[in-house]
Amino acid sequence: MIEKKEDAREKRSMNFIESIVEEDLRQGRDDGRVHTRFPPEPNGYLHIGHAKAICLDFGIAEKYRGKCNLRFDDTNPTKEDVEYVDSIKEDIRWLGFDWEEREYYASDYFGQLYDFAVDLIKKGLAYVDDQSSEEIASQKGTPTEPGIPSPFRDRPIDENLDLFQRMNTGEFPEGSRVLRAKIDMASPNMHMRDPVIYRILYHPHHRTGSTWKVYPMYDFAHGQSDYFEGVTHSLCTLEFEVHRPLYDWLVEHLRADDYRPRQTEFNRLNLSYTVLSKRMLLELVEKEHVNGWDDPRMPTLTGLRRRGYTPESIRNFNDSIGYTKVMANNDVGLLEFAVREDLNKRAPRVMAVLNPLKLIITNYPENTTEEMETINNPEDESMGSRKIPFSREIYIEREDFMEDPPRKFFRLGPGREVRLKSAYIIKCEDYKKDKDGNIVEVCCTYDETTRSGGPEANRKVKGTLHWVSAKHAVEAEVRLYDRLFSDPEPAGHKDKKPADFLNPGSLRVITGYVEPSLKEAKSLDHFQFQRLGYFNVDPDSSSGKLVFNRTVSLRDNWAKKG
RNA sequence: UGACCCGUGGUGUAACUGGCAACACAUCUGAUUUUGGUUCAGAAGAGUCCAGGUUCGAGCCCUGGCGGGUCAACCA
């Protein structure tokens, strides 16, 4: 009964790709094999949009007890580099996926691909074109008009064979000749109008060196690589939809058996208040609008990791947005929700004051330090508790005191009482200002019987404040991040560039005071600064200088109303 | 003026072979709380782009519109 219910729920939440896979399984296609691949080009860093594809590719394989290959789509040596290979692998592993021993490269297949090209030539299905790219483009036609055939279209097979072979031995300069598939210059699909499948490139390849002088184009490598690897479901984003007929055409001419991989397209990720194209991200880095690919404001996986996002939160986010064929605009708020939800369960609560105001407890003994017991995480008792020092002078948050507070202000003001988290209830007796009218000090008295755990500790007071003992406080650099762009769709304006919407306040560096236990914090450790937000330790942090990043603030119903 | 894809609360998704439009985020109440966090209870918000058609019955099928996206790199 219960099982049936769960079945129903799973069925209901199944996305269209899972439906396709299940239908294939039902029909016994591919002997019940499910095999996917994640095919990054090693020419840049992975971002949250790639994570969406990774979660799908590896997720489908996992769910249907299949396999997912990692395959680097390295067919363009002028843009690719090993540097990226390593970062891509690191990011995928960080997300929690494993390609086992199946790390492949399109360049592994250059030999087979070359043989296939020769085979197409022999069948009269490919020819060498001596024209320039401009000439070829001018003959391509437009979406509404058919193209016109190249003057080299009917070149004899032997001549094609000879020329293609010589293209690869370095006899001809780059750009002088290409190999084209002979399909249909009048096709309504531009990709079928005799697409270029090989071009001459002298740039050394990061894996094959200078072995090859001709390199296959994406379309001539992708489907075939899928075929060579036994991929059953080749999942890619919507813009490749128009490539599918070419994908199928090539696989059809390549295959030697009944098996054929099939391409299915899903919607790419769009996130509000950010950009997700390699070109624009590169521009942010190059124009130094951010401090590199791992800047915590970047939507790259390395940036998100440094910011304090957890792999689980990114995976949960991906589960929540789903996979469809609709152009989606996802709210970055959902990503923030996902990380709060995850960090709420796992981040230890600590005391930190970011905008300090000195508070003196006038009736508390001088030169005395009490160790206050405090719970590490109310969401998880197993995380235990620790001691934090308390003394006569503490720092509280400047925002937690108002000279003339409104009625609904649950914090400190003249004559008001407030609880200090894990310590005492205090009452504001006085405050001091400087010449300019700035409040510089708040004087309070405490009630000894209200010590946490003490007899009067449960007395009701409106607010609870976080604090740090002034004498024990540790200085820390705190980096507060806000959205990089001030516009919900920075790349969605015809007359303006994303750079026009850069948020000047996206990074604010301040000095805060944190409790002494944080001296032991390790790089990338997550914390909740009580009442402030989730923070993690930046890799810039050292034993001499703590550096924290704000991952995300806490939800704040009060601030919203204010 | 072509081909292909797509239109469901503000956003993202769901609704098995037609059967009371569901969920999450966001929003708004209220309760609890030694975090204005969390948690809990609840509310509001779409009648499914439009117009026809088939049907006892259409978000789902058919026709025609309208709107959005993609495609004319020797990029992937």
Side-chain angles (χ1 to χ4, degrees):
Chain A
M1 207 49 184
I2 290 165
E3 213 173 56
K4 231 175 194 172
K5 228 177 193 171
E6 274 175 10
D7 269 7
R9 189 175 306 143
E10 274 210 4
K11 207 162 208 173
R12 218 172 302 143
S13 66
M14 190 163 62
N15 65 48
F16 81 102
I17 292 178
E18 291 168 327
S19 304
I20 287 171
V21 171
E22 292 198 6
E23 181 57 28
D24 289 344
L25 255 19
R26 209 170 296 124
Q27 292 183 6
R29 200 188 277 268
D30 304 317
D31 307 317
R33 280 190 316 115
V34 174
H35 206 325
T36 59
R37 100 274 88 116
F38 174 63
E41 183 186 14
N43 73 340
Y45 289 82
L46 258 29
H47 57 66
I48 179 90
H50 293 110
K52 175 169 175 169
I54 292 168
C55 289
L56 213 222
D57 291 326
F58 283 92
I60 288 280
E62 212 163 79
K63 179 167 179 180
Y64 297 101
R65 296 194 191 82
K67 292 173 177 170
C68 179
N69 298 352
L70 170 60
R71 181 173 70 231
F72 289 96
D73 224 331
D74 56 349
T75 56
N76 187 350
T78 64
K79 294 192 174 176
E80 296 145 8
D81 202 89
V82 271
E83 169 200 352
Y84 300 113
V85 169
D86 296 334
S87 82
I88 287 169
K89 292 199 286 189
E90 185 188 351
D91 287 344
I92 300 171
R93 278 198 207 97
W94 176 70
L95 278 177
F97 295 107
D98 183 10
W99 55 92
E100 299 172 312
E101 77 290 351
R102 297 180 308 282
E103 176 179 328
Y104 301 131
Y105 295 78
S107 54
D108 294 341
Y109 314 124
F110 281 171
Q112 292 167 84
L113 258 10
Y114 183 90
D115 292 344
F116 176 46
V118 168
D119 191 48
L120 284 183
I121 294 172
K122 286 180 180 165
K123 286 179 179 158
L125 292 172
Y127 60 96
V128 172
D129 196 327
D130 299 355
Q131 301 179 100
S132 69
S133 61
E134 292 76 20
E135 284 169 313
I136 291 174
S138 72
Q139 292 159 2
K140 200 119 197 183
T142 70
T144 53
E145 305 159 53
I148 57 171
S150 161
F152 299 94
R153 195 166 202 264
D154 294 314
R155 175 117 83 176
I157 289 174
D158 285 345
E159 194 179 323
N160 283 321
L161 249 18
D162 175 60
L163 287 170
F164 184 50
Q165 182 264 118
R166 287 160 63 196
M167 277 164 68
N168 193 38
T169 50
E171 271 190 55
F172 310 122
E174 280 190 11
S176 61
R177 284 183 168 84
V178 291
L179 185 69
R180 291 226 258 168
K182 192 196 277 192
I183 307 180
D184 178 8
M185 287 306 290
S187 171
N189 184 332
M190 300 292 290
H191 296 274
M192 299 298 270
R193 321 245 261 229
D194 289 11
V196 171
I197 56 178
Y198 262 98
R199 77 290 212 187
I200 301 169
L201 253 25
Y202 288 141
H203 194 102
H205 187 279
H206 71 108
R207 300 193 89 229
T208 61
S210 53
T211 308
W212 300 90
K213 302 289 181 281
V214 289
Y215 291 90
M217 300 284 291
Y218 163 84
D219 285 306
F220 197 73
H222 205 95
Q224 290 95 308
S225 301
D226 286 340
Y227 180 83
F228 297 143
E229 293 177 12
V231 165
T232 57
H233 299 268
S234 187
L235 311 175
C236 62
T237 47
L238 250 22
E239 65 270 27
F240 289 97
E241 213 152 22
V242 283
H243 291 244
R244 190 170 1 119
L246 179 54
Y247 179 104
D248 289 339
W249 188 92
L250 288 166
V251 167
E252 207 51 46
H253 287 284
L254 172 69
R255 71 190 185 131
D257 45 29
D258 286 342
Y259 153 72
R260 66 181 180 90
R262 289 188 308 156
Q263 175 180 303
T264 304
E265 311 84 11
F266 61 91
N267 61 348
R268 88 172 27 249
L269 176 72
N270 290 308
L271 251 198
S272 62
Y273 294 98
T274 191
V275 294
L276 287 180
S277 86
K278 270 186 193 171
R279 205 196 86 243
M280 292 179 195
L281 293 176
L282 179 67
E283 194 175 315
L284 289 173
V285 173
E286 285 183 339
K287 296 200 172 158
E288 299 185 346
H289 293 130
V290 295
N291 304 314
W293 288 98
D294 67 342
D295 186 299
R297 291 167 292 179
M298 290 283 274
T300 50
L301 293 179
T302 179
L304 289 164
R305 176 166 58 231
R306 186 167 176 188
R307 175 77 170 257
Y309 276 77
T310 56
E312 290 78 6
S313 67
I314 289 172
R315 292 173 66 156
N316 290 341
F317 167 72
N318 273 300
D319 284 344
S320 71
I321 60 174
Y323 297 85
T324 67
K325 301 186 73 120
V326 186
M327 232 271 272
N329 288 307
N330 293 98
D331 187 346
V332 72
L334 200 56
L335 216 210
E336 293 170 348
F337 168 81
V339 75
R340 283 193 188 106
E341 184 187 41
D342 189 40
L343 257 16
N344 178 48
K345 288 179 296 191
R346 66 209 302 169
R349 273 58 171 171
V350 295
M351 296 284 205
V353 173
L354 300 185
N355 189 11
L357 174 62
K358 184 164 275 187
L359 186 150
I360 299 175
I361 301 161
T362 53
N363 60 340
Y364 192 87
E366 291 186 50
N367 302 318
T368 298
T369 298
E370 274 186 280
E371 294 292 326
M372 309 307 253
E373 182 93 15
T374 189
I375 201 104
N376 286 328
N377 188 346
E379 301 299 311
D380 183 357
E381 253 184 68
S382 74
M383 290 175 73
S385 62
R386 68 183 186 290
K387 299 257 205 288
I388 44 174
F390 181 81
S391 64
R392 188 169 193 266
E393 295 190 7
I394 62 174
Y395 293 121
I396 63 165
E397 214 66 60
R398 196 160 276 277
E399 291 78 15
D400 285 342
F401 176 83
M402 275 181 94
E403 225 181 329
D404 186 18
R407 218 162 292 109
K408 298 266 261 182
F409 186 78
F410 299 157
R411 310 177 191 180
L412 214 48
R416 292 201 183 194
E417 268 194 331
V418 92
R419 182 192 305 279
L420 294 175
K421 174 81 182 170
S422 302
Y424 299 96
I425 294 175
I426 55 170
K427 184 175 184 181
C428 175
E429 309 287 358
D430 196 11
Y431 57 98
K432 290 178 186 147
K433 292 198 209 178
D434 64 12
K435 291 190 268 310
D436 304 320
N438 300 311
I439 294 157
V440 290
E441 197 176 288
V442 178
C443 302
C444 296
T445 52
Y446 84 118
D447 177 350
E448 199 176 353
T449 63
T450 60
R451 190 187 205 271
S452 284
E456 290 298 312
N458 292 328
R459 217 173 83 205
K460 294 272 175 252
V461 283
K462 276 168 285 189
T464 300
L465 268 43
H466 61 277
W467 51 272
V468 174
S469 166
K471 177 164 52 181
H472 305 89
V474 177
E475 248 185 49
E477 176 176 320
V478 181
R479 300 173 181 172
L480 302 173
Y481 300 102
D482 196 358
R483 292 168 178 169
L484 229 201
F485 297 96
S486 53
D487 187 89
E489 227 179 315
H493 301 262
K494 274 165 255 147
D495 48 336
K496 287 183 173 174
K497 298 195 313 260
D500 296 333
F501 300 104
L502 282 166
N503 171 11
S506 64
L507 169 62
R508 241 175 74 225
V509 181
I510 60 169
T511 300
Y513 292 105
V514 303
E515 63 169 78
S517 74
L518 254 17
K519 276 191 282 196
E520 322 295 317
K522 294 190 298 294
S523 185
L524 298 180
D525 278 355
H526 304 281
F527 297 96
Q528 185 198 96
F529 286 3
Q530 205 103 208
R531 299 210 301 140
L532 296 171
Y534 295 100
F535 292 74
N536 78 338
V537 180
D538 191 88
D540 284 348
S541 209
S542 63
S543 52
K545 188 192 181 191
L546 286 170
V547 181
F548 291 95
N549 295 312
R550 182 172 66 194
T551 307
V552 67
S553 63
L554 252 32
R555 249 182 94 200
D556 190 348
N557 288 317
W558 166 249
K560 267 185 229 160
K561 284 179 200 160

